[in-house]
Amino acid sequence: AATGFTERMTRRWDLMSLIYNSDLSPEEIAAGKTEASSAGAESSLMARDGFYKVSRSGAEGDDGDQLKESVDAEALKAKWSDETMLESLRGLFISGPVGEVDQE
Amino acid sequence: MSSSRSEVLRFASHRHLRQRLLLAILSGKSIRVDGIRSEDVHVGLREYEINLLRLLEKVTNGSTIEISITGTSFLFHPGVLPGGSFQHACHVGRSIGYYLEILIPLAPFCKKPLDVMLSGITGEEGRDMTVDMIRTVTLPHLHLFGITDGLELQIKKRGAAPLGGGQVIFKCPIVRQLNTLQFLERGKIKKIRGIAYSTRVSPQFANRMVESARSILNRYIPDIYLFTDVYKGDDSGKSPGYGLTLVAQSSTSAVHSAECLSVAPSSKAPVVQTPEDIALHAARCLLEEIGRGGCVDSRHQWLVLLLMVLGKEDVGKCSMGSLTAHSVQFLRDLVMFFGTRFKIASSGEESGEVVVSCVGIGYSNVNKSVA
């Protein structure tokens, strides 16, 4: 567990340097990438030159100034139809099962 | 603010346009944006973006905007914020949320309290927050920083996409300085609220959405109230539409939200969604958002980050779920305008949760006298 912890700490430290000191695009950082793939590096270079092309399917020239992210409805449905997934959130609610939660 | 006004920050592309305009006004720095859709078939600024620039011109005093002939670049010198009453007809290319998302963080720093009436589309699926989410989620996030009394968003009329016809009134008090945020305990979710709204469709649609959302959420907690809000006649705008906004509140008042709206059948998504589809999707999005963790809704990370930077010269801390791409770009832009870098540390849990902290720049509203 100790090594896991240090690994996570390094990963988070990396997050800071990725945000402030790297050329990775925000989308790549949010997706958890730590190194620029060749295409990714190119895309962020191009972004600086103003010729950014969104490569996601269905993306139009109007995208890029919005708070909401597009969600894959089918994938989401599959994920949240799974009973173990649904149960995994129970501890986050105040009425979580007695015995499992250590408080209240 | 201490930097010289002659300094012009340069940006490219239409992406992240609003946050740059917002930061320009707050920091008093001029910006120049080039290469706006220069490769697109339809070159240059869109009508809704021009409309946004007009709105900013309206609520500021002394701003100048020079747009190139092709519309692919513009230069913006920000003015000051006098506050007061305004009216604005928003372009139907984007919903009112698009415009409010930039107005809200400006409002507390006006000379006089701001009172704006906006008309247009009150909610649209996909890009911008609906007025319901702004009212029930964005405004509570402002409370964290001491912006409370007199803060309100009234939904006078609803107007679904594509024609709109809705009307809202946003009122915001002014503050001298923002409180320093210390928000590390996400708590446990104690209640879920929701609003099922509909215009120009059978009022039964709202009830069907409530039923379906409950089928997923009822298993977790008993304290679930989903209201139906059906607007009729002149108050229901020009287009049929319906949607559901869900808000989960924790024991420490951390708020997470999700929403889903109907899409007009003529637009690019050909699927006609039933009220049940909409509600189930919204409920699943809420679970996803809750699973993300943190004390702040993921679509409000940027707002909290901004208000932390503008806060008193003290260390503010906040726990957030994994940072969104939007937040990452916002962090980068904050460095350009205010020179503030956040410390970002893992909160030590398995999820992507992080604790962000920074020292505020002590931005103060000189127009508001000390109470």
Side-chain angles (χ1 to χ4, degrees), chain B residues 198-213:
Chain B
S198 67
T199 54
R200 302 207 170 272
V201 292
S202 159
Q204 202 50 36
F205 276 36
N207 296 330
R208 284 165 65 186
M209 287 189 286
V210 169
E211 279 298 291
S212 298

Side-chain angles (χ1 to χ4, degrees), chain B residues 1 20 48 74 82 88-89 108 152 180 218 234 248 253 261 265 269 292:
Chain B
M1 284 184 291
R20 281 148 192 182
Y48 63 80
F74 73 89
H88 185 76
E152 62 172 325
T180 303
N218 265 356
D234 288 345
S253 297
L261 288 90
R292 238 185 140 111

Side-chain angles (χ1 to χ4, degrees), chain B residues 48-304:
Chain B
Y48 63 80
E49 287 164 339
I50 307 259
N51 186 284
L52 178 76
L53 291 172
R54 291 228 179 87
L55 171 64
L56 293 179
E57 216 169 16
K58 213 181 262 184
V59 300
T60 56
N61 201 349
S63 291
T64 58
I65 303 165
E66 293 163 37
I67 305 174
S68 70
I69 294 168
T70 52
T72 55
S73 64
F74 73 89
L75 180 66
F76 176 68
H77 297 292
V80 294
L81 293 160
S85 290
F86 299 97
Q87 286 192 10
H88 185 76
C90 299
H91 190 266
V92 290
R94 292 294 276 257
S95 64
I96 289 175
Y98 174 81
Y99 300 87
L100 275 177
E101 281 162 24
I102 183 168
L103 272 188
I104 284 171
L106 290 174
F109 304 103
C110 289
K111 194 169 178 179
K112 288 185 291 181
L114 189 70
D115 178 347
V116 197
M117 191 178 87
L118 299 172
S119 53
I121 296 170
T122 51
E124 189 183 15
E125 172 61 12
R127 297 185 289 191
D128 309 307
M129 295 192 285
T130 65
V131 291
D132 294 277
M133 190 182 264
I134 290 174
R135 190 170 65 81
T136 54
V137 184
T138 311
L139 301 189
H141 278 88
L142 295 182
H143 295 170
L144 298 172
F145 295 89
I147 308 165
T148 45
D149 294 336
L151 181 69
E152 62 172 325
L153 182 69
Q154 298 168 8
I155 304 167
K156 292 285 181 194
K157 296 177 185 176
R158 288 187 181 274
L163 296 174
Q167 194 181 70
V168 302
I169 296 175
F170 171 60
K171 290 181 184 169
C172 184
I174 56 172
V175 292
R176 180 162 172 84
Q177 266 206 318
L178 298 171
N179 294 345
T180 303
L181 184 68
Q182 291 283 344
F183 201 177
L184 297 170
E185 287 299 321
R186 65 182 294 189
K188 286 182 188 286
I189 290 161
K190 62 171 185 182
K191 62 181 182 184
I192 293 177
R193 294 289 178 266
I195 310 155
Y197 33 87
S198 67
T199 54
R200 302 207 170 272
V201 292
S202 159
Q204 202 50 36
F205 276 36
N207 296 330
R208 284 165 65 186
M209 287 189 286
V210 169
E211 279 298 291
S212 298
R214 277 186 166 276
S215 72
I216 290 188
L217 300 174
N218 265 356
R219 67 190 294 148
Y220 294 111
I221 38 171
D223 192 355
I224 301 177
Y225 276 97
L226 308 179
F227 301 90
T228 55
D229 197 5
V230 179
Y231 278 52
K232 289 185 181 131
D234 288 345
D235 293 343
S236 60
K238 298 171 187 163
S239 300
Y242 45 95
L244 175 67
T245 300
L246 295 169
V247 183
Q249 196 188 12
S250 85
S251 48
T252 56
S253 297
V255 173
H256 290 280
S257 66
E259 61 188 2
C260 183
L261 288 90
S262 63
V263 177
S266 58
S267 67
K268 55 189 169 183
V271 200
V272 178
Q273 293 164 299
T274 64
E276 285 76 15
D277 291 341
I278 301 266
L280 292 175
H281 186 69
R284 290 182 189 119
C285 288
L286 184 70
L287 295 182
E288 186 77 19
E289 174 64 31
I290 290 170
R292 238 185 140 111
C295 298
V296 169
D297 182 69
S298 65
R299 279 160 304 261
H300 291 81
Q301 288 173 351
W302 67 280
L303 182 64
V304 171

